[in-house]
Every structure is written in structure tokens, then in C-alpha cells.
Amino acid sequence: MIVIPAIDIRRGKVVRLTHGDPSDETVYADDPLEVARRFESDGAQMIHVVDLDAALESGENRRVVREICGAVQVPVQTGGGLRSLESVEEVLSAGAARAVVSTQAALDSEFLTEAATRFGDQLVAAVDIRHGRVMIRGWREVAGLVDEVIPGMETAGAARFLVTSIAVDGTLEGPDLELYKRVLSRTGRPVLASGGVRTSDDLRALADLGVEGAIVGKAIYEGTISVAEVNAP
């Protein structure tokens, strides 16, 4: 299982939100490029970058995302506000290895089918879940029930899912293992897990379930997990 450190960018800074709440924000660094370079030097195999301003429809950090893609050699997976084929094309052309789509993918199966056909394995379908419901538009609106949305997105062509448990995101309370069991029972596609990881034991528990990878943010910034530790040979 691959462990992917996360860089969430808001107003040009590296932040973490608790439960995805913009009013509950902790700033960890002023320079996202410096953080990306440190992750790479510590052995990260991939970096996950989120443009929170674009996701929340309150601005964008596309220039910073482009700079990160150009500053590191490891693959960059990025999302946040990618709601058109053109926006996906833009970040991939800027050097991102993968583009993460959420709101539009959940709302429009034709968009997802066309995007999956055009971009293939470079496309990741994000499914953000709260109490069994898939949340969109920065986790502010309901798109449907997870048991219906994920199979529908797989049928539409999603090659890979990034599943976030909003209830534990940014809390360091441990991942929602039952949610990932549920998701894995409903799709044969690879699943990346996000939310709640605190320790290496949490990562082992996710690996035992069979997820492809885990996105880790706050645990790294708070020092309960190190990028070097989880990438040690």
C-alpha cells in the first residue's frame, strides 16, 4: 500500500481543515513548494495536492499547483474545483500525474464517462462521505447515497476512487474502517483512503483491508507519522 502525503492549499498556505469545515482551519506552512520538496526528499512516492479555494469556490491556487508539479520529480495527484474537461486537461498539461474530480463526476455521468475515456488512469473519482451520503461542492451538498453513487460512477468509467470519511477527516481519531469495507464490497476498482489516520497501526489496518493507498495529512504535520518512516525500505 502506498502512503501519499497531502498538501491542502488555501490562500497560498498549507492548511488542514477539521471535518472539512473552512472555519476550523490550522495553518501549517506558508510555502507549499518547500513542503512538497521536503516530502520528496523524505521518500514520498507521490504527493496529493488539493486546491481548497477552488473546491470551496472562493478563489484558486492553480499557479501554486503548477509550481509544485514543476518542483518535484515524484508524481503529483491534484484536485479541487476540477469541474470541466478543460480544467482537468489544464492540470495534467501543467505536469500533474493524476487529476481528482469530485462534484461534477458525482452529478454528471456523461462528464465522467467522457473524462474517463479521454484521461484513463490519470483520472481519480473522489467520493467524500458523511453518514453514508456522498457530499459535493466542498462537502456542502448531498449528491446521493454511497451504495448507489459508487457503482454508478464505476459503470460510468471511473478507474480509481479516492474515498474520504468526512466524520474523521482532520481529527486523528483513526480511519473509518467500516466505511472502507463497505466501499470495497461495492467496487472492484482500486480505492485510496483518506481521513483520520494517526499512527502506523492505522496504516496497517487499511492495508489489511486491501485499499491501494492512504492519503495522510494532519498526522504528518502533527508528527504522529513521518513520511520517511512509512517509506523506509
Side-chain angles (χ1 to χ4, degrees):
M1 184 185 77
I2 184 173
V3 178
I4 308 173
I7 299 175
D8 290 1
I9 306 171
R10 192 176 186 205
R11 296 186 295 272
K13 300 179 184 298
V14 178
V15 308
R16 296 298 295 173
L17 306 182
T18 302
H19 302 305
D21 183 355
S23 67
D24 194 350
E25 172 190 276
T26 303
V27 177
Y28 284 99
D30 292 330
D31 187 351
L33 271 71
E34 180 183 339
V35 174
R37 291 188 180 105
R38 184 172 73 247
F39 286 164
E40 180 179 43
S41 67
D42 285 346
Q45 300 173 55
M46 177 176 280
I47 298 172
H48 180 72
V49 179
V50 180
D51 185 342
L52 281 178
D53 288 307
L56 295 168
E57 300 177 293
S58 60
E60 51 87 18
N61 297 276
R62 293 285 187 254
R63 177 185 59 79
V64 180
V65 174
R66 288 195 300 271
E67 289 175 350
I68 291 174
C69 291
V72 297
Q73 298 299 310
V74 296
V76 174
Q77 171 178 285
T78 187
L82 302 182
R83 300 189 177 107
S84 69
L85 296 171
E86 292 74 21
S87 63
V88 173
E89 180 69 50
E90 179 186 346
V91 296
L92 293 177
S93 297
R98 293 178 183 168
V100 181
V101 293
S102 176
T103 295
Q104 199 64 24
L107 291 176
D108 186 346
S109 61
E110 291 185 3
F111 163 82
L112 180 54
T113 297
E114 186 170 354
T117 300
R118 183 183 299 188
F119 305 114
D121 196 51
Q122 289 183 291
L123 194 77
V124 180
V127 184
D128 305 321
I129 302 168
R130 178 189 287 133
H131 306 310
R133 295 178 174 85
V134 175
M135 307 301 294
I136 58 173
R137 301 195 190 284
W139 301 354
R140 293 168 295 176
E141 299 178 16
V142 178
L145 299 176
V146 60
D147 297 327
E148 300 168 355
V149 172
I150 284 185
M153 294 174 81
E154 180 173 335
T155 299
R160 172 179 282 102
F161 291 102
L162 166 55
V163 178
T164 298
S165 173
I166 298 172
V168 296
D169 189 63
T171 66
L172 299 180
E173 294 175 355
D176 187 343
L177 299 178
E178 290 303 315
L179 172 63
Y180 297 114
K181 289 179 186 177
R182 183 176 176 181
V183 168
L184 289 165
S185 73
R186 285 159 176 79
T187 180
R189 302 286 193 255
V191 173
L192 300 170
S194 177
V197 168
R198 176 182 175 85
T199 66
S200 295
D201 286 342
D202 292 332
L203 294 174
R204 282 189 283 272
L206 286 169
D208 288 344
L209 288 182
V211 300
E212 180 186 43
I215 311 295
V216 182
K218 192 170 185 177
I220 294 171
Y221 297 110
E222 293 289 338
T224 62
I225 288 176
S226 75
V227 175
E229 168 195 2
V230 298
N231 286 283

